Amino acid sequence: MRSSALFTVIVVAAAGTATAEPKQEETSGRVSLNEKDVKKTEPRQPSDWVELATPTPAKHGTEFIIVGKDAGYFTKIRIDPAKGRTVVRRVKVFFEDGKVKTTWLDKAVSQGRAPIVVELGNAKIIDRIVVTTETHTNGQYAIYGSSGGGVVGSR
C-alpha cells in the first residue's frame, strides 16, 4: 500500500515537470518547443536573413508558410537546403497588399550547392508563401527572408 502511494506521488511530480507549452513564433506562424527559436528582441539589420520556415520535408509537395506583418518588410527570400536534395518547382509569395508573385523555378537545392534566391522587388510585407516541391525526394528545405543588402549567391 505504501509503495503504491509513493509511486503515485512520483508519477504526478514527474508529469508536472515534464509538460512543456509550445511557443508560437511571431515571424512564421509555426510552433516551436525550443527556447533558442524564440524571436530576438533587437531590431534586425537590412542585410540580416530571418528564418521564415524551419526545415520542411519536400515529400509534402505543397507547403503553406504564414509570415504576417509582424515579420516586417522583405525584398527577397532564400531557399536553403536543410537535408538531402529537394526539387523546388514553384514559389508563390502573397503580399499583404493583395498582390502575388509567382516564380517557376524547377531547380534543385542540396548540400554543398548555393541556395535559391527569389527577388521580390520593393520591400513589402509578406502574408504567406506557398512552396511546391517534387514529392519523390527525401530532402528538406528552409526559407529565409531579407529586406536587402546581404550578398548570397543565387543560381
Side-chain angles (χ1 to χ4, degrees):
M1 183 75 150
R2 219 170 187 206
S3 63
S4 65
L6 179 61
F7 178 76
T8 303
V9 169
I10 292 172
V11 169
V12 169
T17 59
T19 58
E21 192 170 302
K23 295 185 182 267
Q24 183 99 17
E25 289 184 61
E26 294 178 30
T27 58
S28 69
R30 292 178 178 256
V31 175
S32 172
L33 288 174
N34 195 341
E35 288 294 325
K36 71 178 181 145
D37 291 338
V38 176
K39 184 179 170 184
K40 296 179 183 176
T41 56
E42 64 269 2
R44 73 171 191 257
Q45 299 299 311
S47 61
D48 289 346
W49 287 95
V50 177
E51 185 177 68
L52 301 177
T54 56
T56 304
K59 66 183 177 183
H60 295 158
T62 300
E63 184 74 23
F64 299 84
I65 298 124
I66 305 299
V67 179
K69 64 183 177 184
D70 291 339
Y73 291 79
F74 297 95
T75 60
K76 52 189 160 186
I77 59 171
R78 185 180 83 206
I79 303 168
D80 279 7
K83 177 181 165 188
R85 181 178 181 271
T86 301
V87 177
V88 181
R89 294 287 178 213
R90 179 185 70 198
V91 175
K92 286 179 91 169
V93 180
F94 294 81
F95 298 101
E96 186 182 51
D97 63 5
K99 295 183 178 169
V100 179
K101 178 174 177 85
T102 302
T103 305
W104 291 91
L105 295 168
D106 289 325
K107 293 183 179 179
V109 291
S110 59
Q111 297 294 324
R113 297 181 72 183
I116 298 172
V117 176
V118 177
E119 297 290 337
L120 304 175
N122 294 332
K124 295 180 186 175
I125 294 175
I126 298 174
D127 180 53
R128 66 191 179 280
I129 302 169
V130 180
V131 180
T132 303
T133 59
E134 279 295 320
T135 58
H136 68 277
T137 65
N138 287 326
Q140 293 183 2
Y141 62 92
I143 307 280
Y144 294 85
S146 174
S147 58
V151 177
V152 171
S154 67
R155 304 180 355 193

